[in-house]
Amino acid sequence: MVALLARRALLAAALGPASRRRLPRHHASAAARLSSGAGGEPEAQGRGGPTPMLRHLLLKLRATGPVTVAEYMREALTNPGQGYYTRRGGIGESGDFITSPEISQVFGELIGIWCISEWMATGKPKAFQLVELGPGRGTLTDDILRVFSQLASLLSKCDISIHLVEVSPKLSEMQALMLTGGRVQPDPQDESAYMKGITKTGVPIFWHRDIQDVPPGYSFYLAHEFFDALPIHKFQRTGKGWREVLVDIDPEVPDQLRFVLSPSSTPATENFIQPEETRDHVEVCPEAGVIIQRLACRLEKDGGAALVADYGHDGTKTDTFRGFRNHKLHDVLKDPGTADLTADVDFSYLRKMTQGKAATLGPIKQREFLKNMGIDLRLQVLLQNSHDPATREQLLQSYDMLMNPKKMGDCFNFFALLPHHRLAQTDRKHKPESKSPLPPVAGFGELSLT
């Protein structure tokens, strides 16, 4: 009850009036992106010549033979010259997909409240870092910073810094413009940060290419729609055992790609398939496993928390690899470099890869998490303070988009990593005066440790 009252107080103090963020015309397609599987009808594309990325891949495949789906994704998304994220990165109404922070300011505000709630629950450390992995256009961090600014009196004795892990030059420019007004400078002296500045609210901000470059220290790590874009390996069970799905040139159409099965087991099939696996088709993201291990080690050593928000499953789904372009399904092998490629996150794999170094909570549905965080109270306040019919309609539509089970409400999941001691009962042997456990983790209610 005390934790609930504290959260209500934070909501009342932190959340100001509604901003006039437009609800995108394509808001309905965001739900389609989440709920559709790889078997959906892809968007029909015109038959132009090969894209620069396709030409690059064709040369590579002719020289080396088939590549793994992971290698294909890595090239298509992050190739320095022609990768989707490095040169396009179409987030927003004019892009290829929409994310929750772009739909409603309330989403980011509640994540900000979550961070402060955890900071308070762990004794208000004198400093913390907010670290966002794959921060898109910077909208989520911008909304969180607004909450921090409105709670400046509470955070006045806390040294806060922002750290963005971003590989895309184009997106880092957009983030810098949104968060600092463009007042940033490259930092060649600092090997860990390639750019730094001061946010509009006066908080130091740094850009890094890898999570390992983020300085150690008590931190809140946020990964919103980050893990779904990491490269996956795909595997198919056959009568001869597990075979890896590869990408090769279609011999009947020389400038097109196709999926093939490896003729024998590959190093990936030997290392990534669990002996107890019962599915016939499996997707594994080893890069996600490495990142989760690093997060777990950091939390174990330095404290803090990590919050993952993504669409995914708990080890039950099979073929989820798909592409999106102009808010519609797009053939994953067509025109690489021009579309977003994504696959559902396997939260059971993330949990396993913590290797016991961190406690985990979830996954729970987005609508449950946001409801626990007080989204209904926030909506009431905004509606009471909004006299413009268009603004009220936008608020209701964006709330429905986030919470409706048929839209984002059930498609998205929240998953948290915390140090084990955060969820432990108070040690009465050493603190006999303490009669209650630590407050529950905001958003996850009284969920037991998984």
Side-chain angles (χ1 to χ4, degrees):
M1 179 59 73
V2 174
L4 178 60
L5 291 174
R7 204 172 307 146
R8 283 179 176 272
L10 284 175
L11 279 166
L15 304 179
S19 68
R20 293 303 301 272
R21 186 173 302 162
R22 291 177 60 200
L23 186 69
R25 289 195 307 271
H26 300 295
H27 65 276
S29 69
R33 176 175 185 255
L34 300 172
S35 60
S36 57
E41 286 298 320
E43 176 190 11
Q45 296 294 320
R47 289 189 172 273
T51 63
M53 173 54 67
L54 179 56
R55 288 197 296 270
H56 164 73
L57 285 167
L58 292 171
L59 288 171
K60 182 173 185 174
L61 292 170
R62 289 185 185 113
T64 66
V67 297
T68 65
V69 173
E71 179 63 20
Y72 173 75
M73 285 185 72
R74 195 173 289 112
E75 287 278 10
L77 294 178
T78 59
N79 179 282
Q82 296 295 332
Y84 175 78
Y85 287 127
T86 49
R87 62 185 294 272
R88 181 181 170 101
I91 304 172
E93 181 181 2
S94 61
D96 297 310
F97 59 93
I98 286 290
T99 63
S100 295
E102 303 289 335
I103 288 171
S104 173
Q105 69 183 70
V106 178
F107 184 89
E109 291 169 345
L110 295 179
I111 301 300
I113 295 295
W114 186 86
C115 294
I116 295 175
S117 176
E118 274 305 291
W119 173 74
M120 294 173 67
T122 51
K124 299 181 181 178
K126 293 182 179 179
F128 73 75
Q129 301 179 142
L130 178 70
V131 184
E132 187 177 0
L133 312 180
R137 299 199 299 188
T139 307
L140 177 59
T141 293
D142 189 48
D143 289 337
I144 292 172
L145 282 171
R146 186 170 60 255
V147 171
F148 288 178
S149 178
Q150 290 164 348
L151 289 172
S153 58
L154 177 64
L155 298 167
S156 60
K157 296 182 180 179
C158 184
D159 183 14
I160 301 174
S161 59
I162 307 297
H163 299 263
L164 304 182
V165 179
E166 180 58 73
V167 298
S168 168
K170 180 178 179 181
L171 287 175
S172 61
E173 288 177 10
M174 296 169 69
Q175 295 151 15
L177 187 62
M178 173 171 284
L179 298 171
T180 74
R183 295 187 298 275
V184 293
Q185 59 188 52
D187 197 357
Q189 306 297 325
D190 189 342
E191 293 183 0
S192 66
Y194 63 85
M195 191 165 66
K196 66 179 181 180
I198 302 292
T199 70
K200 295 173 183 177
T201 55
V203 179
I205 184 169
F206 304 86
W207 277 262
H208 312 272
R209 290 190 174 86
D210 192 280
I211 190 173
Q212 289 181 292
D213 296 330
V214 176
Y218 182 95
S219 304
F220 294 110
Y221 299 92
L222 304 177
H224 180 265
E225 287 207 56
F226 171 75
F227 284 102
D228 66 87
L230 296 180
I232 60 164
H233 287 265
K234 289 174 71 69
F235 305 98
Q236 181 70 45
R237 192 193 301 270
T238 74
K240 297 180 180 180
W242 285 100
R243 295 292 183 263
E244 184 163 6
V245 178
L246 305 174
V247 176
D248 197 7
I249 299 172
D250 188 335
E252 296 183 4
V253 190
D255 64 346
Q256 289 190 22
L257 305 175
R258 65 169 183 168
F259 288 118
V260 297
L261 291 181
S262 62
S264 59
S265 64
T266 64
T269 56
E270 301 295 329
N271 290 299
F272 300 143
I273 299 293
Q274 301 299 316
E276 65 274 16
E277 183 58 65
T278 59
R279 291 170 290 175
D280 289 333
H281 191 100
V282 178
E283 297 168 337
V284 180
C285 182
E287 202 169 311
V290 170
I291 292 171
I292 282 292
Q293 286 178 356
R294 289 173 180 165
L295 289 176
C297 289
R298 281 174 170 248
L299 295 176
E300 182 183 44
K301 181 180 177 182
D302 301 321
L307 188 64
V308 177
D310 226 315
Y311 48 94
H313 58 93
D314 215 11
T316 56
K317 290 188 178 181
T318 56
D319 183 13
T320 70
F321 184 39
R322 54 203 188 275
F324 287 89
R325 179 167 155 179
N326 298 326
H327 302 267
K328 296 179 181 179
L329 277 169
H330 177 83
D331 186 336
V332 292
L333 296 182
K334 186 169 182 59
D335 301 330
T338 68
D340 181 34
L341 301 179
T342 180
D344 283 13
V345 177
D346 184 345
F347 290 104
S348 69
Y349 176 72
L350 299 189
R351 186 185 302 114
K352 188 178 299 181
M353 295 308 291
T354 64
Q355 298 179 324
K357 293 182 181 296
T360 63
L361 287 173
I364 66 171
K365 301 299 184 186
Q366 173 168 293
R367 60 187 171 92
E368 183 179 353
F369 178 88
L370 295 179
K371 195 171 190 67
N372 290 342
M373 285 302 304
I375 190 172
D376 292 333
L377 173 63
R378 174 56 171 153
L379 178 66
Q380 289 173 15
V381 172
L382 288 175
L383 289 174
Q384 288 170 5
N385 295 334
S386 299
H387 305 293
D388 174 41
T391 300
R392 291 173 64 87
E393 179 63 22
Q394 175 201 343
L395 289 168
L396 291 169
Q397 284 189 47
S398 59
Y399 174 89
D400 181 65
M401 188 69 209
L402 294 177
M403 298 293 285
N404 191 322
K406 295 180 180 179
K407 296 179 182 177
M408 288 182 164
D410 275 3
C411 294
F412 263 89
N413 296 272
F414 277 76
F415 179 80
L417 277 67
L418 305 106
H420 284 290
H421 62 75
R422 168 64 182 92
L423 300 181
Q425 295 283 325
T426 303
D427 188 348
R428 297 189 189 177
K429 218 177 261 184
H430 296 93
K431 297 181 180 177
E433 73 283 358
S434 227
K435 296 182 180 179
S436 61
L438 290 167
V441 177
F444 292 88
E446 300 289 347
L447 287 184
S448 60
L449 178 63
T450 58

